[in-house]
Amino acid sequence: RKQKGSTLQIVIKMARLALALALLVGSAYGFVRVPTMPKAMRMMSQLDMARESVMAGNWKMNPDSLEEAVALAKSVADASEASPGASAVFVPFPYLGPVGDALKGSKVGLGAQDCYTEAKGAFTGAVSMGMLKSSGVTHCLAGHSERRTVFGEDDEIIAKKVRTILDAGLVCILCVGELKEEYELGLNKEICAIQLAKCLTDVTEEEL
């Protein structure tokens, strides 16, 4: 048993080293144009002391009806009056307009769960930043775990979405995180650092 445990620890350490080297070497030779992992973590550590806390709720593919969505939005708006800091709700596309109306006059931001990187064109099912802004959206998610695992979005696509959201003048909430298997191997910090570095490729420290 001791031998198996020792072997697992060696595998974990090798995996961590491989991830770090993949990021650092790729960046150095131009295969991956990203800030180094230490820089990414340093940037986020510095910002921890200065940024405002945000309480945000992602409704995912809920609720079932527009009536329920509006009622929930009104409840959130009422509850937000007694809560400190900023807040936002990320609602399904069909509910954006009515929920936005229900949130008017409150301090709750209206958020979209996703966006597309093109402004217009033959992209069936996609939603542009112009459409979102005209609907009153102030926040937008990028890189949610379900967009990664269910819809196959990688860090390159997510980085483009981050840039698109920021260029439109909206607040971007970038989601990062490891899979269950990666967590069990103790790779959560390395995975998050790599995702941060790759998804923030074109983002300046000032924009963070």
Side-chain angles (χ1 to χ4, degrees):
R1 290 183 179 177
K2 289 184 178 179
Q3 186 176 5
K4 288 183 179 180
S6 178
T7 301
L8 179 59
Q9 291 301 317
I10 293 173
V11 170
I12 292 173
K13 289 180 180 178
M14 289 177 66
R16 285 176 172 167
L17 179 60
L19 285 169
L21 287 175
L23 179 64
L24 297 175
V25 174
S27 178
Y29 286 91
F31 301 127
V32 185
R33 187 168 60 86
V34 297
T36 61
M37 186 156 49
K39 180 181 178 182
M41 297 305 291
R42 186 172 65 252
M43 289 165 61
M44 299 310 294
S45 177
Q46 292 171 347
L47 288 164
D48 279 338
M49 299 181 290
R51 61 178 148 181
E52 179 186 21
S53 62
V54 178
M55 183 178 294
N58 177 18
W59 293 5
K60 304 193 178 187
M61 201 168 71
N62 298 292
D64 289 334
S65 69
L66 175 59
E67 291 74 19
E68 291 176 285
V70 171
L72 179 57
K74 290 179 179 178
S75 296
V76 173
D78 291 340
S80 70
E81 297 304 318
S83 64
S87 57
V89 290
F90 294 85
V91 307
F93 291 137
Y95 302 156
L96 285 173
V99 166
D101 290 338
L103 295 177
K104 283 182 179 177
S106 74
K107 61 179 183 179
V108 182
L110 178 63
Q113 298 177 7
D114 190 35
C115 68
Y116 194 54
T117 54
E118 297 294 332
K120 61 176 65 176
F123 305 105
T124 302
V127 178
S128 71
M129 293 310 305
M131 296 174 182
L132 296 178
K133 289 186 70 173
S134 68
S135 299
V137 170
T138 55
H139 296 62
C140 190
L141 295 179
H144 193 280
S145 61
E146 287 146 13
R147 298 303 308 179
R148 296 174 184 268
T149 59
V150 178
F151 298 97
E153 294 186 3
D154 58 20
D155 290 326
E156 182 179 357
I157 293 174
I158 295 164
K160 290 180 180 178
K161 289 190 175 184
V162 169
R163 187 66 264 166
T164 300
I165 295 167
L166 293 177
D167 287 342
L170 272 64
V171 177
C172 176
I173 294 187
L174 171 63
C175 307
V176 298
E178 73 286 351
L179 299 174
K180 178 183 178 182
E181 296 78 10
E182 293 165 340
Y183 175 81
E184 291 174 347
L185 285 172
L187 298 173
N188 52 309
K189 291 183 179 179
E190 287 79 4
I191 295 296
C192 290
I194 289 174
Q195 289 179 357
L196 279 173
K198 288 185 175 182
C199 295
L200 298 177
T201 298
D202 297 318
V203 179
T204 66
E205 292 190 35
E206 289 73 20
E207 288 176 311
L208 289 174

